[in-house]
Amino acid sequence: MIDLFVFLPACFALNLAFGPNNLIALTHGAQNGLAFAVSASTARLAVFVPMIAASALGLGVLLSASAFLFGAIKIVGAIYLIWMGIKLLRTRPARAGVGTDYLTPTFRQAFRREALIAVSNPKAILIFAAFFPQFVDTTAYWQSYASLGAIFIALEACAIMLYASAGRFAAAFASTRLHWFQRISGGGMIAFGVLLLFSRQPGRA
C-alpha cells in the first residue's frame, strides 16, 4: 500500500522544483495567459505518461545504467535548451506604436516546446525509475505504479497552474517590459542547458 503521507509531499516537492519545464510554463503564462500556458503544458503531461510506463517496464533502470544513452539524451536536451534560450534572448523591445504580439508564440509552438523539453531531459525518467520504486507495493506492482503515476501527473498539473499563474501575475505588472521577461527566461534556459550538459550521470562519481 502506498504511504501517501510520505509520497505526496515528497512528490509535490519534485513537481514544484524549478526546472526547464516549469520555467517555460512561467514564460508562457506571462506571454499568453493562464489558459494558454496550461493547455500547452498538456504536452508535458502527455510525454510523462509513457515515461512512467517505460520506467515501470524497467527502461528507466536501463537508462540510468547506460552511460551512452544518458549522455546522448543529455547532450540533445542541453543543446535544445541553449538554442531556445538564445532565441528568447534575441527578442527585441517593442517600438513606439507596436504591440508585443510578435513576442508571443503560437499554441503549436508552445505545445512543441513543452513536449521537447520534457522528452529531452533524461532526469525525468530517472525520477520515475529511482523515486517511484521506493513506494511501489510489490504485491500489486502494476496497480501501485499506475496509482503513483496518476498522482504524479495530478500534482504536476497543480505545479503547472502555479507557475503559469505566477507568470501571468508578473506580466500584469510589467506588460510593457515583456521583452525583458523573455530575456530573463532565455538566460534561465541557457543556464539549465549548461547545467544539464555538465551534469554527471546518477550513481557515477
Side-chain angles (χ1 to χ4, degrees):
M1 186 173 181
I2 301 171
D3 189 348
L4 292 178
F5 290 105
V6 177
F7 179 77
L8 285 174
C11 185
F12 198 40
L14 291 174
N15 296 118
L16 288 175
F18 189 61
N21 269 120
N22 283 334
L23 174 57
I24 203 62
L26 184 77
T27 303
H28 288 157
Q31 291 172 328
N32 281 25
L34 177 61
F36 178 92
V38 171
S39 297
S41 293
T42 58
R44 181 199 318 187
L45 303 181
V47 167
F48 282 166
V49 169
M51 278 186 168
I52 293 170
S55 179
L57 291 170
L59 297 182
V61 175
L62 174 63
L63 176 60
S64 62
S66 172
F68 175 78
L69 287 176
F70 181 87
I73 295 175
K74 181 181 72 171
I75 290 171
V76 171
I79 290 173
Y80 178 72
L81 289 175
I82 293 170
W83 174 76
M84 193 168 68
I86 291 172
K87 286 189 68 176
L88 289 171
L89 281 176
R90 293 179 64 187
T91 58
R92 296 288 184 269
R95 298 182 300 275
V98 177
T100 58
D101 289 347
Y102 75 101
L103 292 175
T104 61
T106 64
F107 179 78
R108 183 175 181 179
Q109 290 171 329
F111 190 87
R112 184 172 64 246
R113 285 179 183 176
E114 280 277 5
L116 288 175
I117 291 174
V119 78
S120 62
N121 189 344
K123 292 185 178 180
I125 198 168
L126 295 180
I127 288 174
F128 303 140
F131 177 66
F132 277 25
Q134 300 176 50
F135 300 92
V136 170
D137 181 358
T138 54
T139 63
Y141 180 82
W142 292 107
Q143 297 93 321
S144 180
Y145 224 105
S147 297
L148 292 172
I151 293 170
F152 180 91
I153 293 297
L155 293 178
E156 185 73 7
C158 292
I160 289 168
M161 289 281 292
L162 290 173
Y163 274 99
S165 297
R168 187 57 178 169
F169 181 78
F173 290 93
S175 58
T176 61
R177 297 289 184 272
L178 184 56
H179 65 284
W180 286 113
F181 194 96
Q182 297 257 85
R183 292 181 178 184
I184 292 171
S185 297
M189 285 293 172
I190 292 173
F192 281 125
V194 172
L195 288 173
L196 179 60
L197 190 62
F198 290 98
S199 64
R200 293 177 178 177
Q201 183 178 356
R204 294 180 180 269

